[in-house]
Amino acid sequence: SDLQKHVERGELLQPLIFVLLVLCSVLLYFKVSLMDPGFVKPEEEGKEGEDKGQGAVIPQIPGDIKLRRCGYCLVKQPMRAKHCQLCQHCVRRYDHHCPWLENCVGERNHPLFIVYLSVQLVVLLWGGQVTWSGLYFGQSWELLKHNIFLLVSFLLILIFTIVVLLLLISHLYLISCNTTTWEFMSHHRISYLRHSELENPFDQGIILNLWRFFC
């Protein structure tokens, strides 16, 4: 049959891989958007190791900076945690609230968020290449009309690709510095950063920062 011939020639392998990547992207989206990003729970107060996964508190941070109680949910905030008024919870190692996910990006789902962006970027690049290869460039207006759907699709894919690429690069840069989007944008308003002798007291070198984040 024709299907068997396509399989034997390996012509169905690439479409199958593309569909699997799209499916993986969708599953990652729901996983990141539905999972607990690292909500601080009241019953966790007083437990040891509150800063697990958030980067060690090194001596350059003044010792007189104490954990404060959140004015909204009244839990004692670990260092690097922040209250999200949209989620109505304090989030450990808070990075940002993503409107596309309708969830915070924090200690627990930040690595998966990076994986999701990476898979999404591959899907967009692949889709852009397929769309571009289908365009036929000619001087006739009729040819342009026949290509208008592919052309609009390519422009939309190009815009989303640029957005995802810039977002991924910015997050990888911040991760390599062991800082978060919130800390980077609000450095002057955060007590443990404002009173620290170092600009970023959590930075332990690119390799160790990446290792601790992903592993």
Side-chain angles (χ1 to χ4, degrees), residues 70-169:
C70 176
Y72 295 96
C73 53
L74 303 180
V75 299
K76 187 175 290 185
Q77 287 184 336
M79 188 171 288
R80 310 190 79 178
K82 182 184 180 297
H83 182 86
C84 175
Q85 296 191 29
L86 294 174
C87 293
Q88 293 298 310
H89 284 286
C90 285
V91 181
R92 291 177 178 271
R93 202 179 184 278
Y94 175 86
D95 189 87
H96 71 286
H97 182 93
C98 181
W100 303 106
L101 297 172
E102 281 296 329
N103 194 15
C104 283
V105 176
E107 179 182 275
R108 294 190 62 191
N109 64 350
H110 200 171
L112 273 180
F113 178 71
I114 299 300
V115 175
Y116 165 70
L117 289 180
S118 302
V119 174
Q120 190 66 45
L121 181 61
V122 173
V123 170
L124 287 168
L125 289 172
W126 196 334
Q129 186 273 330
V130 171
T131 306
W132 179 263
S133 64
L135 289 171
Y136 179 80
F137 295 97
Q139 298 180 354
S140 171
W141 172 246
E142 290 297 323
L143 294 176
L144 179 60
K145 285 200 301 184
H146 289 306
N147 286 332
I148 189 65
F149 178 75
L150 283 177
L151 187 60
V152 171
S153 299
F154 176 77
L155 292 177
L156 287 175
I157 290 174
L158 180 62
I159 293 172
F160 285 121
T161 300
I162 293 173
V163 171
V164 173
L165 179 61
L166 292 177
L167 191 59
L168 181 60
I169 291 175

Side-chain angles (χ1 to χ4, degrees), residues 111 114-115 172 175 209-215:
I114 299 300
V115 175
L172 289 176
I175 291 167
N209 291 339
L210 293 173
W211 173 264
R212 292 196 169 187
F213 180 84
F214 288 105
C215 305

Side-chain angles (χ1 to χ4, degrees), residues 13-79:
L13 182 60
Q14 287 191 359
L16 179 60
I17 295 175
F18 182 77
V19 171
L20 290 176
L21 281 174
V22 172
L23 180 61
C24 180
S25 174
V26 173
L27 292 176
L28 281 170
Y29 172 84
F30 283 109
K31 176 67 175 178
V32 176
S33 63
L34 296 177
M35 73 181 296
D36 178 354
F39 295 136
V40 181
K41 300 176 177 59
E43 60 268 21
E44 294 176 347
E45 289 188 22
K47 289 185 179 180
E48 294 294 331
E50 277 190 309
D51 292 321
K52 181 182 179 182
Q54 302 177 36
V57 180
I58 56 179
Q60 284 79 359
I61 299 178
D64 57 348
I65 297 179
K66 299 179 180 180
L67 301 182
R68 71 184 188 91
R69 193 169 292 277
C70 176
Y72 295 96
C73 53
L74 303 180
V75 299
K76 187 175 290 185
Q77 287 184 336
M79 188 171 288

